[in-house]
Amino acid sequence: MHFSIPSTQEFGSDGSGSSFTGFNIHINGSFHCCLRYKQLHSLHEQLKRSLPSIALPSFPPKKLLSLTPNQIEQRRLSLERYIQLVGQDPVLCRSELLRAFLLNAQQESSFTESSEVSLDVYLMNGYRIVANVYTTDCTSKVLEKACALIELSKERVGYFALYLMRKEASGVLTIVKRLMDFEAPYISQKRWDECKLVLRTGYWDACYDLELMRDRIALNLLYIQALSDVDRGWIVTTRDLSEQLTNLQARGNKTEYLEIVRKLPLYGCLQFPRASVDYPEPNTVATVVLGNKELNLLTFDGKEMQEIKFKVTRIRCWRVTPIHINDEHSSMEPQTSQQSKISLELSFEYLMAKNQLKWITIYSEQSMLMSVCLQSIVDELLNQKNGSDPIHLQSVQHVEYTPLSYIRRDGSNHGITDSSSTDTLCNLVNNDISSNNGTSNQPSSQHTTTNGSSFIRRKLKEFNTTVRFKNGKDSVHNEAFEWIGDDDL
């Protein structure tokens, strides 16, 4: 997980005149929650008790007196480094404790009360699944409920994932983000009004298709996804092959259709909008494609498509950096889509030849998602190397913990009993503390679930686009990196 704390906000406390600082936490490039120092300290103490064998990074020390603006800034930087190091630890970032903590924090920060709602989940062909979920259900629970409605067996649910996808004005389909288990899809989707929840495969290696093709429902899902990807040009075919696939589609021969498509170079990949790259020449325009253990750059010379391949196992490390941030607008005012444009760059160090490393940079607003996908590919490669079950790659690690608890911003303690919908806060909206004005936040019509949707949406959009990524380490190191030896030349 990529953590950052780009900014803070001041909160007033129940009309007493005192105030406290909230730290705006971003995960994988977008706002997730706003937390107090003592809430993060509570997380640290629970991690320390529950995982005594893990060496936690040091937590920023407490201060007895009120902090000056300079001290608040130093605390922000210290907390940012702490949470980044936690997110880079493979055990900590998949712990049940951290998942439950972040899920509750998202609920508290979005002023969302736990209630049952209908949520639309779409297949790649536009088919809509209407699932009855709780507003605070985590991603895996929503995925399970959606898959149950199409009668997909529980054993195969783990091969799929939920994505937020948006259809651009040009008709192009863009993947905005992959939803993780520390977030509630209902809450996350509210921040992206124009996006739909879409069900797609969640793995990268096409060899896992063979297991799914033995199941009728899973085979249909693979077939629908393949048809969509071919139709959108995500999978490139020749004219003759396109005619053959059209004939197989007309006859309803799904298995043979998939057997042909699976052999094509871009099958199972995610495609990103065209971006500027500095390879092979500066200001080269290319389509970025991730999958098949590769990062590909597709460039066009006239009508001819050229493909530049970078093997993931030869990427030594990578980093995401902002190259433009718009801070001119108040955090309390919604930003327009034009104002919210943020330029990011993904840079990776690639082993071109023996003892020859070169940094290559992609300038794209989706750099953060590319980084998340790269990490997912690396995790899958390591799982394969270790002989682990691929469908549990992104799963939460359940360990016998002491009872968990979540401290709200107002100081009240909420016990977390299990991983069900009951592990999230109840009646949160009525107990939340007002921000920025020092007045108490008594129950009112604007904070109820029936009348407060516009208020919640505005509050979430305040942080929708401010992205700063700076790792606790200088870059993300690739544990699947393979050095080229004499035998490889």
Side-chain angles (χ1 to χ4, degrees), residues 303-319:
K303 292 185 178 181
E304 292 292 323
M305 184 182 74
Q306 297 178 344
E307 186 176 10
I308 306 172
K309 298 182 178 181
F310 300 96
K311 293 182 178 180
V312 170
T313 52
R314 286 169 62 178
I315 295 176
R316 192 181 73 88
C317 60
W318 71 87
R319 62 175 178 242

Side-chain angles (χ1 to χ4, degrees), residues 378-396:
V378 168
D379 288 343
E380 187 172 287
L381 287 170
L382 293 174
N383 256 34
Q384 290 174 336
K385 185 177 180 180
N386 298 330
S388 304
D389 185 350
I391 70 170
H392 295 131
L393 179 62
Q394 301 292 340
S395 64
V396 172

Side-chain angles (χ1 to χ4, degrees), residues 326-459:
N326 190 341
D327 281 332
E328 295 178 0
H329 300 275
S330 168
S331 63
M332 290 306 297
E333 294 180 2
Q335 297 179 355
T336 67
S337 58
Q338 185 63 35
Q339 292 165 341
S340 66
K341 296 281 186 182
I342 293 181
S343 298
L344 297 172
E345 62 179 35
L346 170 70
S347 301
F348 59 93
E349 191 176 27
Y350 192 73
L351 187 61
M352 309 295 292
K354 184 182 179 182
N355 298 324
Q356 183 184 344
L357 288 161
K358 179 180 177 62
W359 280 98
I360 296 167
T361 301
I362 301 169
Y363 303 93
S364 170
E365 293 177 9
Q366 290 194 301
S367 294
M368 191 64 72
L369 179 57
M370 293 178 193
S371 176
V372 171
C373 290
L374 272 176
Q375 186 62 62
S376 179
I377 294 172
V378 168
D379 288 343
E380 187 172 287
L381 287 170
L382 293 174
N383 256 34
Q384 290 174 336
K385 185 177 180 180
N386 298 330
S388 304
D389 185 350
I391 70 170
H392 295 131
L393 179 62
Q394 301 292 340
S395 64
V396 172
Q397 302 299 311
H398 296 272
V399 181
E400 290 298 324
Y401 289 118
T402 54
L404 310 180
S405 64
Y406 177 82
I407 297 179
R408 300 175 181 175
R409 285 201 295 259
D410 63 3
S412 60
N413 201 306
H414 171 74
I416 302 174
T417 56
D418 53 33
S419 297
S420 69
S421 297
T422 58
D423 69 352
T424 49
L425 306 177
C426 296
N427 301 319
L428 174 67
V429 176
N430 292 334
N431 292 326
D432 193 56
I433 303 172
S434 64
S435 63
N436 298 306
N437 56 12
T439 60
S440 62
N441 188 18
Q442 299 298 329
S444 64
S445 61
Q446 70 172 356
H447 288 110
T448 62
T449 54
T450 54
N451 299 325
S453 60
S454 62
F455 171 78
I456 293 171
R457 190 166 300 171
R458 177 175 63 82
K459 288 292 294 179

Side-chain angles (χ1 to χ4, degrees), residues 65-343:
L65 302 177
S66 299
L67 301 184
T68 65
N70 285 339
Q71 289 174 322
I72 291 174
E73 174 62 13
Q74 287 303 311
R75 173 170 281 185
R76 181 191 69 79
L77 292 171
S78 298
L79 289 173
E80 182 176 63
R81 179 167 178 79
Y82 169 82
I83 199 69
Q84 285 170 350
L85 292 172
V86 167
Q88 290 169 9
D89 187 287
V91 176
L92 293 175
C93 71
R94 293 199 185 103
S95 70
E96 168 73 3
L97 194 157
L98 182 61
R99 181 209 70 87
F101 178 88
L102 292 175
L103 187 63
N104 279 277
Q106 185 190 36
Q107 181 194 357
E108 181 181 24
S109 298
S110 64
F111 311 101
T112 302
E113 194 170 7
S114 184
S115 61
E116 196 168 10
V117 294
S118 295
L119 190 63
D120 294 338
V121 178
Y122 292 85
L123 303 184
M124 288 300 295
N125 64 352
Y127 179 82
R128 183 176 62 147
I129 305 167
V130 182
N132 291 325
V133 304
Y134 283 93
T135 55
T136 53
D137 273 345
C138 64
T139 298
S140 61
K141 287 195 171 294
V142 173
L143 179 63
E144 288 172 6
K145 291 177 180 179
C147 288
L149 290 171
I150 56 176
E151 299 181 353
L152 180 68
S153 64
K154 290 183 178 179
E155 295 77 16
R156 294 176 172 87
V157 171
Y159 288 93
F160 294 88
L162 292 177
Y163 298 82
L164 281 177
M165 303 183 75
R166 176 179 62 228
K167 192 170 186 179
E168 308 293 352
S170 62
V172 174
L173 196 64
T174 300
I175 296 178
V176 174
K177 68 179 296 186
R178 174 172 171 163
L179 296 180
M180 302 299 183
D181 214 36
F182 56 77
E183 58 188 318
Y186 173 84
I187 298 174
S188 295
Q189 189 185 27
K190 275 189 169 295
R191 296 183 50 256
W192 307 87
D193 293 337
E194 71 280 14
C195 292
K196 292 183 178 179
L197 278 173
V198 179
L199 180 70
R200 281 183 64 92
T201 51
Y203 55 84
W204 299 95
D205 195 325
C207 71
Y208 302 130
D209 289 351
L210 300 177
E211 168 64 23
L212 297 183
M213 290 172 70
R214 289 194 282 266
D215 179 271
R216 179 179 61 87
I217 302 298
L219 173 66
N220 286 338
L221 291 175
L222 281 180
Y223 177 67
I224 288 170
Q225 181 174 309
L227 284 176
S228 173
D229 289 357
V230 169
D231 182 57
R232 289 181 169 84
W234 289 9
I235 300 175
V236 180
T237 63
T238 63
R239 179 177 297 178
D240 292 341
L241 191 56
S242 179
E243 291 178 359
Q244 183 182 357
L245 292 174
T246 300
N247 291 333
L248 289 171
Q249 180 183 353
R251 298 201 303 267
N253 196 330
K254 301 173 184 177
T255 301
E256 189 174 346
Y257 185 100
L258 282 170
E259 287 175 349
I260 293 175
V261 172
R262 289 177 66 248
K263 297 175 183 176
L264 297 177
L266 300 183
Y267 175 79
C269 297
L270 291 186
Q271 189 171 123
F272 299 85
R274 297 182 114 189
S276 176
V277 298
D278 64 357
Y279 186 89
E281 301 292 338
N283 301 317
T284 299
V285 176
T287 298
V288 180
V289 179
L290 273 168
N292 294 328
K293 305 174 186 177
E294 294 173 339
L295 186 154
N296 296 336
L297 299 179
L298 306 182
T299 60
F300 293 87
D301 184 8
K303 292 185 178 181
E304 292 292 323
M305 184 182 74
Q306 297 178 344
E307 186 176 10
I308 306 172
K309 298 182 178 181
F310 300 96
K311 293 182 178 180
V312 170
T313 52
R314 286 169 62 178
I315 295 176
R316 192 181 73 88
C317 60
W318 71 87
R319 62 175 178 242
V320 178
T321 321
I323 57 177
H324 171 71
I325 299 173
N326 190 341
D327 281 332
E328 295 178 0
H329 300 275
S330 168
S331 63
M332 290 306 297
E333 294 180 2
Q335 297 179 355
T336 67
S337 58
Q338 185 63 35
Q339 292 165 341
S340 66
K341 296 281 186 182
I342 293 181
S343 298

